[in-house]
Amino acid sequence: MKKKVYIISHSHWDREWYVAYEKHHMLLVELMDDLLEIFETDPDFNSFHLDGQTIILDDYLQVRPEKRAAVQKAINDGKLRIGPFYILQDDWLISPESNVRNMLIGMEESRKWGTPVKLGYFPDTFGNMGQAPQLMQKAGFDAAAFGRGVKPIGFDNQVLESENYTSQYSEMWWKGPDQSEIFGLLFANWYSNGNEIPAEKEAAIKFWNQKLADAEKFASTNHLLFMNGCDHQPVQKDVTKAIALANELYPDYEFIHSNFTDYLDAVRNDLPEDLGSVTGELTSQETDGWYTLANTASARVYLKQWNTRVQRQLENIAEPLASMAYEVSGKYPHDQLDYAWKTLMQNHPHDSICGCSVDEVHREMVPRFEKANEVGKYVAEEAVNTLKSAIDTSNFAENSFPFVVFNTNGLAKSGEAEIEIELARQTFAEGYPAQCYHAMAELPQTDYHVEDENGHVIPATISEAQVRFDFDLPKDGFRIPYMKRYVTVQLPVKDLPAFSWQGFALVPGREVTDATPLANKTGTVIENQQMKVEIADNGTLTVTDKETQVKKENLLVFENVGDIANEYIFKQPENDQAILSSDVQATITLLENHSEKAVVKITHVLDIPVSADELLDVEQQMVIDFTQRKAQRSKEIAPLTIETLMTVTKDSKKIDFETHVNNQMKDHRLRVLFETGINVEQHEADSIYEVVTRPNAVSASWKNPTNPQHQHAFANLHDTAHGVTVGNFGLNEYEIVGDTIAVTLLRCVRELGDWGYFPTPEAQCLGEHTFNYSIEMHATPETRYATYKHAYTAQVPFTVAQVAVQKGNYPTTYQYVKVEGETFIPTALKRRKVDQELILRGYNMSEEMKSVTIEQSHAEPEILTLLEEPTDEVYTPELQPYEIRTIGLMK
C-alpha cells in the first residue's frame, strides 16, 4: 500500500513582527491577489489554509474592497480555508475570556463567509495551555494542531536525542486536567517542512529524500503531512507542478495537494493502538529550557499591564454593567463591545502581546489598548447612567448626597471605594468661568460623614471641598460646561456580593468613629486583628499571622541583575552577582494612618550598572547566540530609586504594594522576592481557566539556570499547614526559587532576538513605571481559595456613581445575580446576540467536584457550549473537577 503525502499550502501570517504592521499588511495584499489568481488558473490547486485567523480577510478587504465577491467565491468553492479563530493569539498572556472571545468572534466571522475549519490551530504559540482540550471540545472541535511544547520536534525546541520523547509520534491524544481528550497534531518538523518544494528533478530528489525521512521518523501512520509555507511565505505558484514531479519520482508514495479536513479524516482512521498521550500544559519542559520563550511574559511589561487593564474593563466592568442595564433599557451594546474586543484582540497575536517585535509594532499597540479601553469605559458609563436612574434612594434625607457602589466581580469583594461627590455646581450659562469658580470656592466649608441606607455610619475618609471644571454631554442637547464643588470620599466596603450594588449617602455633620490607628508613629509596625507587620531598617518585612502564629521574615526584597539576551529570553551575564535591596538602608515614611488603613512608603536606592558593557553591542550585531555571549555589566554605576507604597487595611490579611521606579538603566531585570520558608515540590498559579499545579524542579535535560513561568492573578506556595499567595496586576512572569516566589517587575533588553539582529531600543523600557502586587498568608490548604479570590477581585475596582434622592424600581442595595461556590470563578456576565439571554461563564479551580449556586430573578439556568449554543446536558449545581461551564439564564 502506498504511503500518502498530504501537502497543505499556507502562510503563517504574523500580522506584525520583525517589520511593522503596515509592511506585513501590504505583503498580505500581494499574497491574497496571487491566491485569487491561482484559484482561477490552476484547477489542480486544492486549497490554501488561511492560517486559522479570519482577521486576514478584514485586512485584505480594507485595501481591496472590490475583491469581496472573489474572496466569497474562493471560500464557497473550498479553495480558501478559513477560521476558526479571529487571530492567532498567545494563549498564556491573554485572559481566559480573551481566549474564548477569539473563538466566539472567529467562528461568527467564519460563518458569515462559509464553513470554518474546525481545528484548534496553534502553530506557533509559545507553549500550549492545559485547558485547551476542554476549550476545544466545548467549542465543537475534536482536534488541535500545534508547533511547540512537546517532544519530538525538529526545530525550535532542540531535540535532545538522549532523552525519551514525551510522545513517540507526531500524532497523540491530548488530555486536559478535567480529562477532556482531543486529537493532537504536532508539527514535528515545523510548519514549514514542505516549504518551497522543488519542481526540478535533481533538487526534488534531494528535497524529498530528506523530507520524507524526517516525517516518517515521527509519523504514526502512512499519512504524511507537509506544510507548504512558512512565516509570511508567498504562495508557491508551481506547487502542483512540483507535486506531479514527486509522483513520477516516488512511485511508492502518492503525493496530493490537500487540506486539513481531508488529512485529519484520513490520519484518524488509521491511528495505531500504541498512540501516546500528553496531559495538561505543553511547555517544552523536557528540552534544555532555553527556548520555551516563557520570558516573553516579562518583555515590555507595560504592554501586559495595559492588556490586563483593558481586559478587566471589558470583561469585568462594561459587560456586567451593560447586562444589568439591559433590564432597564432593553438594549445591549453588542456592536460597540465587538468593536472593542476586536480592537483589543489585534494586540493578542503571539508576536504582539509577547512584546517580541520591533519597536514600531509595539508603539502601535498602545493606541489600540487606549481605543478599546475608551469604548469599555463609555459602555460602562452609559450602563451606570441607565441603572442609577432606576435605583430608589428615597430613604436618604433630602439634604444628603446618595451614591451607589457596584461590585461587578463575580465574587464577593472587600476593599476601598473612592468617589467624587458633587456638592454644588454653577454652569457657564450662569456666569463667566472665573465667576463660577469663585462662587463655588467661596461656599462655606461643611463637615460630612457617610451612612448606609439603614443610617449606620461608615468610617469614611472625606477630603476638604475643592473646585474644578467639568461638563455634561446631554443626549438631547448641547454640552453643558460648569464649575463644580466636590469632595473625595474613600470608604471601606466589606463583602459586597457578586454582581451587586449598595447605596450610601454623604450626610452633613461630623460623626465620631474609631480613631485608633493601625500603625505606630514611625510606621515601622502595623497591626490589625489578623496580622502584625514589622518593617526592618533595610525595608524587609516580617509578617505574623495571628490565626496560625506563623511568622514570615525577609519579605519584600528587590533583586537586580543584568540581562544580555533579548525580548524572548533572559540570560544573566556570567558571574554576575545580584544586587539586593536587603543590603541597603531603606527610608520609611508614614503617609496615612487611621483605624481603617495605614499606608507606608518604603524607599530604596540601589546603585546598579547603567547598562551592559560595549561587548554586548558587538555580540548582538554579530548575531552571536545569546548562550555564548561574554558581555558583562558596565563598570559605570548610577542610583535606581525604588519607592514602594505598602497598604494594610483593618479587616484583611492581604498586604498591597505599589512600587514606582523611573528606569534610566539598560540591560537589566528587576524582581521582587517573597521568601516563604515553604520547601515543597510543587506550587500553584493562576492560568487559563485553571489554577494549575506545576513542579518546582526541572527535568534532567534542563540547562537554563532559570525556570520562568506564566501567571495571571497570583502564584502560591503551601504545605499541609499554611501557605503564601502573591497576587499581581499585569505582572505575568514569576519563578519559584527554592522557597521564594519571585515576580518580575521589569526586564530591559536591546534586541528582538530570534533569527537575526533587530535592534529594539524601546524594549529597554526607560521612564516611569508603576507595579501593583500583594501578599497574603493563609492557613491549611483548603483556605488558600479565599486568597485566590482576593487576588482576582483586587484586579477589578468598585464602580461608583452619584445618584439623586429619588424614587426607583430597584432597591438601594441589590444583588442582580447570586453566585455562590467555594471554588467557582466567574469569568463573564454578558448577553447573547441571538436572543439577549444572560450568559454566565466560569470554572471550577479545584481538582475536586464542587457545587455552585446560580440564581437570577425568574431565570432557569441551562448548560451551553462555549460558543453559547444549546446542549442536551441537564443542568446540575455540581461542577466536575476543573470544569469550564457556560450557563444561560433565560427568563
Side-chain angles (χ1 to χ4, degrees):
M1 181 179 176
K2 287 186 177 182
K3 291 188 176 182
K4 204 164 186 177
V5 178
Y6 297 77
I7 298 164
I8 297 178
S9 289
H10 79 109
S11 184
H12 175 55
W13 205 263
D14 301 302
R15 289 183 85 235
E16 48 195 16
W17 181 21
Y18 53 85
V19 296
Y21 164 69
E22 287 300 346
K23 184 168 184 177
H24 281 181
H25 192 185
M26 296 304 103
L27 292 172
L28 173 65
V29 172
E30 294 181 12
L31 169 66
M32 291 292 291
D33 285 347
D34 288 343
L35 285 173
L36 294 177
E37 181 181 349
I38 288 172
F39 296 156
E40 294 298 321
T41 58
D42 187 351
D44 295 327
F45 192 98
N46 177 279
S47 60
F48 189 89
H49 183 70
L50 206 59
D51 204 36
Q53 46 180 325
T54 61
I55 196 172
I56 290 176
L57 300 171
D58 294 340
D59 290 344
Y60 178 60
L61 294 174
Q62 185 180 26
V63 177
R64 294 264 199 260
E66 73 279 5
K67 296 290 188 179
R68 177 174 289 273
V71 170
Q72 184 66 70
K73 182 179 186 300
I75 294 171
N76 292 346
D77 294 346
K79 295 292 186 180
L80 200 57
R81 305 283 177 144
I82 63 169
F85 300 151
Y86 181 63
I87 50 93
L88 289 189
Q89 83 280 30
D90 180 87
D91 50 33
W92 297 110
L93 292 176
I94 67 173
S95 68
E97 273 303 309
S98 290
N99 277 282
V100 169
R101 303 314 169 89
N102 189 35
M103 287 193 286
L104 268 172
I105 291 177
M107 287 294 286
E108 181 181 353
E109 293 294 305
S110 297
R111 287 166 176 168
K112 290 177 183 177
W113 289 98
T115 302
V117 178
K118 288 194 173 183
L119 170 68
Y121 196 61
F122 307 100
D124 199 20
T125 50
F126 303 160
N128 293 278
M129 55 190 170
Q131 284 281 35
Q134 186 179 179
L135 287 167
M136 295 304 103
Q137 271 198 356
K138 287 182 179 290
F141 308 160
D142 57 7
F146 47 89
R148 300 179 189 269
V150 176
K151 292 170 63 180
I153 185 173
F155 185 63
D156 273 354
N157 283 356
Q158 297 193 354
V159 168
L160 305 175
E161 299 294 348
S162 61
E163 291 292 318
N164 293 324
Y165 293 143
T166 302
S167 170
Q168 73 272 43
Y169 301 123
S170 51
E171 300 80 33
M172 65 202 74
W173 299 112
W174 185 8
K175 186 178 293 185
D178 72 316
Q179 304 306 303
S180 294
E181 188 173 69
I182 60 174
F183 176 70
L185 172 64
L186 172 68
F187 297 128
N189 294 291
W190 210 231
Y191 52 72
S192 58
N193 67 328
N195 191 31
E196 298 182 341
I197 302 171
E200 184 273 322
K201 182 176 180 181
E202 290 186 10
I205 291 172
K206 181 179 180 181
F207 178 92
W208 284 116
N209 283 348
Q210 180 65 53
K211 295 291 186 177
L212 289 170
D214 289 343
E216 289 170 339
K217 179 179 180 181
F218 300 127
S220 66
T221 72
N222 288 330
H223 304 281
L224 307 179
L225 176 64
F226 286 86
M227 299 295 288
N228 176 231
C230 197
D231 302 341
H232 315 108
Q233 182 78 15
V235 60
Q236 182 176 346
K237 296 179 180 181
D238 65 350
V239 68
T240 55
K241 178 183 175 182
I243 290 172
L245 176 61
N247 277 313
E248 293 176 14
L249 296 174
Y250 295 86
D252 293 335
Y253 296 83
E254 180 185 358
F255 296 80
I256 62 171
H257 198 226
S258 189
N259 56 77
F260 273 115
T261 301
D262 292 347
Y263 166 74
L264 289 170
D265 286 345
V267 74
R268 285 188 289 190
N269 282 332
D270 285 346
L271 293 174
E273 292 184 2
D274 67 340
L275 195 70
S277 293
V278 293
T279 303
E281 295 182 340
L282 309 181
T283 55
S284 306
Q285 291 298 302
E286 292 180 334
T287 64
D288 66 7
W290 281 118
Y291 296 93
T292 63
L293 309 187
N295 289 123
T296 55
S298 59
R300 302 180 190 257
V301 167
Y302 65 94
L303 296 176
K304 281 67 171 177
Q305 293 173 309
W306 254 118
N307 188 51
T308 302
R309 185 181 305 124
V310 181
Q311 288 176 153
R312 299 288 74 77
Q313 181 65 45
L314 295 180
E315 299 168 21
N316 303 112
I317 301 175
E319 288 183 340
L321 286 169
S323 297
M324 298 179 197
Y326 174 83
E327 303 285 355
V328 179
S329 67
K331 298 177 181 179
Y332 188 84
H334 289 290
D335 293 338
Q336 294 92 325
L337 286 166
D338 277 356
Y339 169 70
W341 272 109
K342 286 180 177 180
T343 304
L344 172 61
M345 286 193 291
Q346 289 172 30
N347 284 345
H348 285 172
H350 47 273
D351 293 309
S352 303
I353 191 59
C354 286
C356 54
S357 297
V358 293
D359 290 340
E360 293 87 344
V361 166
H362 300 302
R363 215 177 291 143
E364 190 170 355
M365 288 176 65
V366 173
R368 293 184 198 137
F369 283 132
E370 291 173 333
K371 289 166 67 175
N373 196 48
E374 285 300 319
V375 175
K377 288 162 61 178
Y378 176 81
V379 167
E381 182 181 347
E382 292 291 292
V384 166
N385 287 338
T386 298
L387 285 167
K388 75 179 188 180
S389 68
I391 295 174
D392 192 321
T393 58
S394 59
N395 52 332
F396 291 115
E398 283 294 332
N399 67 339
S400 68
F401 301 90
F403 61 96
V404 177
V405 177
F406 296 88
N407 176 22
T408 55
N409 284 277
L411 302 165
K413 176 178 171 64
S414 297
E416 184 176 79
E418 181 174 309
I419 183 172
E420 288 185 358
I421 298 296
E422 181 183 312
L423 305 174
R425 72 165 63 176
Q426 192 169 94
T427 67
F428 288 5
E430 300 172 83
Y432 291 113
Q435 292 174 325
C436 297
Y437 184 92
H438 287 301
M440 292 293 96
E442 291 167 2
L443 291 173
Q445 287 286 347
T446 304
D447 291 330
Y448 294 97
H449 64 276
V450 173
E451 296 180 2
D452 65 17
E453 62 180 307
N454 299 312
H456 298 143
V457 175
I458 307 299
T461 301
I462 303 166
S463 72
E464 291 290 321
Q466 300 179 56
V467 179
R468 76 149 190 253
F469 166 80
D470 208 342
F471 61 93
D472 286 340
L473 294 177
K475 295 294 185 181
D476 56 355
F478 194 53
R479 62 179 182 256
I480 303 173
Y482 56 87
M483 293 293 179
K484 74 174 182 181
R485 183 180 177 86
Y486 69 97
V487 294
T488 301
V489 177
Q490 296 174 320
L491 73 155
V493 179
K494 181 70 172 175
D495 293 328
L496 190 57
F499 304 126
S500 73
W501 66 73
Q502 183 175 358
F504 301 91
L506 184 69
V507 179
R510 181 185 297 274
E511 287 287 341
V512 177
T513 57
D514 180 13
T516 306
L518 297 182
N520 65 1
K521 292 181 179 180
T522 61
T524 55
V525 179
I526 308 173
E527 192 167 4
N528 61 22
Q529 293 184 349
Q530 289 79 29
M531 65 178 175
K532 181 179 182 181
V533 182
E534 300 167 275
I535 308 175
D537 290 344
N538 63 1
T540 60
L541 310 181
T542 298
V543 180
T544 303
D545 184 333
K546 294 183 178 181
E547 176 189 3
T548 62
Q549 292 303 304
V550 170
K551 178 183 291 188
K552 300 294 181 187
E553 300 177 331
N554 206 35
L555 302 171
L556 193 72
V557 175
F558 296 98
E559 171 206 72
N560 186 262
V561 298
D563 188 347
I564 58 171
N566 53 55
E567 291 179 315
Y568 290 97
I569 302 165
F570 163 80
K571 185 178 187 299
Q572 191 172 352
E574 293 178 5
N575 303 314
D576 179 39
Q577 296 298 310
I579 300 168
L580 301 174
S581 65
S582 53
D583 292 335
V584 302
Q585 182 87 9
T587 301
I588 300 165
T589 308
L590 183 61
L591 300 181
E592 187 174 349
N593 188 24
H594 50 78
S595 63
E596 295 297 322
K597 183 174 69 173
V599 181
V600 176
K601 181 169 74 173
I602 305 170
T603 303
H604 293 94
V605 179
L606 301 186
D607 291 327
I608 69 171
V610 297
S611 67
D613 62 21
E614 294 178 355
L615 178 58
L616 179 59
D617 190 53
V618 175
E619 290 178 326
Q620 290 182 336
Q621 292 189 51
M622 294 175 65
V623 195
I624 292 176
D625 185 82
F626 67 90
T627 61
Q628 305 303 313
R629 291 175 184 170
K630 302 301 180 184
Q632 297 292 310
R633 301 189 80 176
S634 171
K635 301 299 183 183
E636 183 182 351
I637 303 297
L640 175 68
T641 300
I642 304 171
E643 293 183 344
T644 301
L645 302 184
M646 182 185 75
T647 301
V648 175
T649 56
K650 179 180 178 181
D651 295 316
S652 177
K653 286 200 291 188
K654 182 164 72 72
I655 307 171
D656 294 305
F657 304 96
E658 181 173 291
T659 293
H660 174 80
V661 299
N662 182 356
N663 177 51
Q664 298 301 323
M665 314 308 184
K666 300 176 181 179
D667 313 311
H668 69 114
R669 183 187 69 184
L670 180 67
R671 299 199 296 188
V672 61
L673 313 180
F674 292 95
E675 183 180 309
T676 70
I678 300 171
N679 291 284
V680 290
E681 294 182 354
Q682 59 189 24
H683 68 279
E684 291 183 340
D686 175 38
S687 190
I688 308 303
Y689 287 111
E690 179 182 12
V691 173
V692 63
T693 300
R694 294 173 177 149
N696 297 344
V698 295
S699 70
S701 305
W702 201 267
K703 305 301 181 186
N704 187 341
T706 66
N707 183 23
Q709 302 284 349
H710 292 88
Q711 66 175 347
H712 278 274
F714 59 81
N716 168 276
L717 276 171
H718 67 268
D719 56 23
T720 58
H722 67 281
V724 173
T725 298
V726 175
N728 78 89
F729 185 93
L731 304 174
N732 292 113
E733 180 182 283
Y734 76 97
E735 184 181 5
I736 304 299
V737 184
D739 65 346
T740 297
I741 300 174
V743 178
T744 304
L745 302 181
L746 196 62
R747 191 166 70 85
C748 308
V749 295
R750 62 173 71 179
E751 70 161 339
L752 187 157
D754 207 320
W755 59 275
Y757 175 54
F758 302 93
T760 57
E762 291 174 22
Q764 296 283 14
C765 299
L766 303 180
E768 306 280 349
H769 296 271
T770 300
F771 312 105
N772 295 95
Y773 49 99
S774 65
I775 184 173
E776 183 172 3
M777 296 167 62
H778 63 81
T780 51
E782 62 271 15
T783 65
R784 72 191 189 277
Y785 294 122
T787 69
Y788 296 174
K789 291 179 178 181
H790 296 159
Y792 286 129
T793 60
Q795 294 201 343
V796 185
F798 291 113
T799 297
V800 293
Q802 187 171 351
V803 185
V805 178
Q806 64 187 24
K807 291 284 188 180
N809 295 326
Y810 282 89
T812 312
T813 296
Y814 182 68
Q815 185 171 17
Y816 179 66
V817 180
K818 180 180 179 181
V819 183
E820 293 181 357
E822 179 190 3
T823 62
F824 181 68
I825 303 300
T827 59
L829 185 71
K830 61 186 288 288
R831 295 278 171 180
R832 184 166 63 181
K833 277 188 181 179
V834 293
D835 56 6
Q836 311 304 327
E837 182 172 6
L838 188 64
I839 303 294
L840 175 69
R841 187 165 27 252
Y843 68 102
N844 180 10
M845 59 176 167
S846 170
E847 62 188 5
E848 301 175 356
M849 182 182 290
K850 297 284 185 177
S851 63
V852 60
T853 299
I854 309 290
E855 293 179 8
Q856 207 262 336
S857 179
H858 307 297
E860 289 296 324
E862 61 174 332
I863 296 179
L864 306 175
T865 70
L866 203 66
L867 301 180
E868 299 169 7
E869 297 166 342
T871 69
D872 295 329
E873 293 183 64
V874 177
Y875 182 86
T876 67
E878 286 75 35
L879 297 168
Q880 297 301 313
Y882 302 111
E883 179 185 351
I884 304 166
R885 182 173 288 189
T886 302
I887 301 164
L889 295 165
M890 176 62 81
K891 294 185 179 180

